[in-house]
Amino acid sequence: MSKVIETEAGLMLVEWDVPIEMDDGMVLRGDVFRPMSDEPCPVLLSYGPYGKGLPFQEGYETAWERLVSQHPEVADGSSNRFQSWEVADPERWVPHGYACVRVDSRGAGRSPGQIDHFSPREIRDLYMCIEWAGTTLWSNGKVGLSGISYYAAVQWQVAALRPPHLAAICPWEGFNDMYREATHHGGILSTFTRGWARMQVQTVQYGNGRGLMSAINGLSVTGDEVLDAKSLRGNRIDFGAAHLEHAFDDEYYAERRPDLARIEVPVLSAGNWGGAGLHLRGNIEGFLDSGSSQKWLEIHGLEHWTEYYTDYGRALQQEFFDHFLKGEDNGWDQRPPVMLKVRQVDGSFDQRTAEAWPLPGTAWTDLFLNAASGALVEDAGAAGSVSYDELGDGVTFYLPESDEAVEVIGPLSLKLFVSSTTDDADLFAVLRIIGPDGEEITFPGALDPHSPPAQGWLRASHRELDPERSLPYRPYHPHQRRQPLEPGEVYEVDIEIWPTCIVLPPGYRMALTIQGHDYEYGGAPAQLSNLAVELRGSGPLLHDDPIDRPVYDKGNPAPAAKITVHTGGDTPSRLLVPFLRG
């Protein structure tokens, strides 16, 4: 079914529900938006499970309202009829000579089959969609991948398979190491994926018969077939249960982890400073480890969907794709490889570029934890210790105020000497900012409006390091086995704290909190319509599963641990900080 649609920028040809046959005979469905011209054009393609016919405004109402109220340019110049969650608005791209292709992934929206997120079958499907799009009569043979989060994560995977017609990728805030960046932070299970699948995928699963109809074409968002509850369950892998079952970094994650070194196409990797737990590490690691000789890293702030749609984000994407999909000599290849929006304490950002990551000129500084004074100092000092209850407030160490501005940009790592009254300890490290009035300063995060500037996690029984992959500022844990603690014995552990960026004016100071649970903001919680939990500082990225962490099982509570942090002397616990001087 096709239709010519008039937009503010001119005519656009739309083809709904185009069949795309896979190598096993399954037929997926895609929508194609393209110029009214016989001249072949480049393709921007997205492939994912959110229902290509579900309007952004309907499926993600509060996110849309926040986006357009705070960034009105997003709504200007487009009818917004074709806006969908985390993918490009064709009214913005077709007038510039692009075809936009949106494909419902297998089992979702109007594509039948079984949902198995990020599986080899799903990535093979995406490979075939790329090759289909690159060989149509209206395509110039160059396909670029665009989209946020899920639509970004699959880009890393499929690019490593090297589809012949894939010409460039722009993974916007998407992980590539599912275990470390989405399901198990430091070996601790995140319950996010369970709620995400229920709220955002099952609601648009093929055949669920919810009655969602596209106002544009009159088609059911979830296909014309209505399946019963048993059939629906059989047509999806239980994502949350799979992650609970696979507690270590085993073959399940290995087959979903791309070989980044195989990526050859140009890469624009865009991360989010506020994306601890989902939307940052993968973009940085992907930039560093991808095999492409043409790659750029951009990091911004605000909600994880915002800058993709703003004038800033669209201009950046268009310049990148114009260069690699259209062959325009627009100066993109002269850009520095690292582009940052540097975060200020008032919530604003300054633009900065660099030639490498971590930034050249970084003054790596060890700040030692002092149990007696509660300070972060540059001298390890005498031996001491401080204890806290696992579900209590933890312990906090403060960096003294500075008379000069202080910049912290880059990854951090925390070496702790700890003991526990039980055979394990879940360690949560939170970097915090304290204002001159003693009040904590939080920042808009990717998913929570009140986030700390950085977080890190480690289950002490997962403390084993991979010496070949570990770096001083980024310890790497293989997560292959459990090494229980002997109660009362002191163990050395290294915690990866995800990268951060903050400029502290005089009078502001940094603090480090070590505790046994997720960070919580002290003010009122927030809510998004597409999330099942209140947002209390860590968004939906929580670590409170009663099986993975029995202390949360109210029916059979496990004894909470008392954890002791040992400092100074022979146990010099310390935080490695990336200061920038001058």
Side-chain angles (χ1 to χ4, degrees):
M1 181 172 65
S2 63
K3 184 177 182 181
V4 176
I5 294 178
E6 185 173 357
T7 71
E8 294 187 24
L11 298 179
M12 177 170 67
L13 178 63
V14 184
E15 297 173 90
W16 308 108
D17 247 19
V18 178
I20 308 172
E21 186 171 355
M22 301 295 101
D23 54 359
D24 64 351
M26 183 65 69
V27 176
L28 306 185
R29 295 289 173 171
D31 293 341
V32 178
F33 306 82
R34 56 189 178 91
M36 291 289 297
S37 170
D38 294 332
E39 184 176 349
C41 58
V43 181
L44 287 186
L45 187 144
S46 57
Y47 170 100
Y50 295 140
K52 59 184 174 59
L54 180 65
F56 191 149
Q57 304 91 318
E58 183 176 342
Y60 301 84
E61 182 179 359
T62 52
W64 175 256
E65 290 175 353
R66 183 181 301 177
L67 176 64
V68 296
S69 64
Q70 297 179 5
H71 306 277
E73 79 263 25
V74 172
D76 292 342
S78 172
S79 72
N80 301 299
R81 290 177 293 170
F82 310 106
Q83 290 274 14
S84 288
W85 178 244
E86 297 187 337
V87 296
D89 176 7
E91 286 190 70
R92 302 286 189 183
W93 288 92
V94 171
H96 294 285
Y98 287 87
C100 290
V101 176
R102 296 174 177 170
V103 183
D104 279 335
S105 57
R106 185 179 294 233
R110 293 185 61 82
S111 292
Q114 184 184 59
I115 298 174
D116 190 1
H117 298 299
F118 308 108
S119 65
R121 175 66 263 177
E122 184 170 76
I123 304 309
R124 177 64 180 168
D125 288 347
L126 175 52
Y127 181 110
M128 300 199 72
C129 290
I130 292 168
E131 291 307 290
W132 170 84
T135 55
T136 60
L137 294 177
W138 43 262
S139 168
N140 73 350
K142 293 185 176 182
V143 178
L145 298 181
S146 176
I148 310 171
S149 194
Y150 196 105
Y151 297 100
V154 294
Q155 293 182 43
W156 296 112
Q157 291 180 273
V158 77
L161 301 182
R162 300 178 179 173
H165 289 87
L166 181 62
I169 64 172
C170 180
W172 199 274
E173 304 188 33
F175 60 82
N176 50 62
D177 185 332
M178 181 186 290
Y179 186 90
R180 290 164 184 80
E181 296 162 6
T183 71
H184 291 78
H185 302 120
I188 309 170
L189 177 68
S190 170
T191 54
F192 165 71
T193 54
R194 186 180 310 158
W196 165 81
R198 184 176 69 253
M199 294 287 290
Q200 294 184 231
V201 179
Q202 292 179 29
T203 51
V204 289
Q205 182 181 357
Y206 176 85
N208 78 356
R210 283 180 62 207
L212 293 173
M213 305 297 292
S214 169
I216 302 299
N217 57 30
L219 296 175
S220 168
V221 171
T222 56
D224 301 324
E225 186 178 8
V226 178
L227 302 177
D228 60 31
K230 182 178 179 181
S231 297
L232 289 170
R233 286 193 301 271
N235 282 346
R236 62 178 183 255
I237 301 298
D238 190 327
F239 206 43
H243 301 154
L244 181 61
E245 177 185 353
H246 296 277
F248 295 93
D249 187 9
D250 58 15
E251 71 287 343
Y252 173 87
Y253 302 100
E255 69 177 11
R256 289 164 170 78
R257 183 181 300 115
D259 182 353
L260 296 170
R262 285 184 48 81
I263 296 176
E264 295 180 329
V265 297
V267 177
L268 170 57
S269 178
N272 190 310
W273 294 122
L278 192 63
H279 290 120
L280 176 58
R281 184 186 188 275
N283 286 100
I284 293 173
E285 295 295 314
F287 165 75
L288 293 172
D289 292 345
S290 66
S292 176
S293 61
Q294 297 175 296
K295 54 185 180 180
W296 289 263
L297 173 67
E298 187 274 348
I299 312 181
H300 50 268
L302 304 178
E303 303 86 0
H304 84 271
W305 58 86
T306 297
E307 291 287 22
Y308 180 82
Y309 294 98
T310 62
D311 288 348
Y312 163 80
R314 288 200 313 272
L316 197 70
Q317 297 163 58
Q318 186 177 334
E319 187 179 343
F320 171 74
F321 283 125
D322 281 353
H323 184 74
F324 290 109
L325 301 189
K326 291 184 174 182
E328 292 187 5
D329 185 11
N330 57 11
W332 176 271
D333 55 334
Q334 302 303 311
R335 278 182 174 266
V338 177
M339 299 168 282
L340 308 177
K341 297 192 79 171
V342 177
R343 183 166 53 186
Q344 310 294 315
V345 294
D346 64 358
S348 63
F349 297 88
D350 294 332
Q351 291 285 148
R352 191 177 304 183
T353 60
E355 293 301 319
W357 179 273
L359 302 189
T362 298
W364 298 101
T365 305
D366 277 324
L367 296 178
F368 292 89
L369 283 59
N370 188 296
S373 65
L376 294 168
V377 295
E378 295 192 16
D379 183 9
S385 66
V386 59
S387 300
Y388 62 91
D389 293 328
E390 184 175 15
L391 297 183
D393 294 333
V395 292
T396 300
F397 300 85
Y398 297 89
L399 185 69
E401 295 180 11
S402 174
D403 295 332
E404 301 178 349
V406 175
E407 294 191 7
V408 180
I409 304 178
L412 304 92
S413 67
L414 176 62
K415 181 179 289 292
L416 290 181
F417 292 85
V418 297
S419 58
S420 173
T421 57
T422 67
D423 70 351
D424 216 333
D426 285 348
L427 303 168
F428 294 71
V430 184
L431 193 71
R432 302 165 68 188
I433 303 301
I434 309 300
D437 58 0
E439 295 295 316
E440 181 177 10
I441 309 297
T442 60
F443 303 88
L447 290 167
D448 196 297
H450 298 287
S451 296
Q455 297 190 65
W457 313 261
L458 182 68
R459 176 160 289 166
S461 61
H462 286 232
R463 64 190 177 278
E464 184 176 17
L465 290 172
D466 181 336
E468 293 186 359
R469 300 196 64 175
S470 290
L471 299 167
Y473 51 80
R474 200 238 34 220
Y476 189 94
H477 304 87
H479 298 295
Q480 294 292 313
R481 60 174 177 162
R482 184 174 187 267
Q483 295 179 304
L485 309 182
E486 185 68 31
E489 186 173 334
V490 178
Y491 294 87
E492 180 179 347
V493 302
D494 293 273
I495 302 175
E496 175 187 3
I497 298 179
W498 285 24
T500 190
C501 168
I502 185 65
V503 177
L504 302 179
Y508 289 76
R509 57 179 174 159
M510 188 171 65
L512 171 70
T513 295
I514 303 164
Q515 57 192 33
H517 57 85
D518 290 300
Y519 167 83
E520 288 193 6
Y521 169 64
Q527 187 77 55
L528 283 175
S529 59
N530 57 293
L531 298 178
V533 300
E534 290 184 323
L535 306 179
R536 297 180 176 272
S538 294
L541 303 168
L542 303 176
H543 306 82
D544 55 0
D545 182 86
I547 297 177
D548 184 70
R549 302 195 68 197
V551 71
Y552 284 102
D553 185 351
K554 296 180 180 179
N556 183 27
K562 175 165 282 190
I563 300 165
T564 300
V565 177
H566 301 263
T567 69
D570 294 332
T571 54
S573 296
R574 58 193 181 272
L575 176 69
L576 182 63
V577 181
F579 288 116
L580 286 177
R581 314 285 190 187

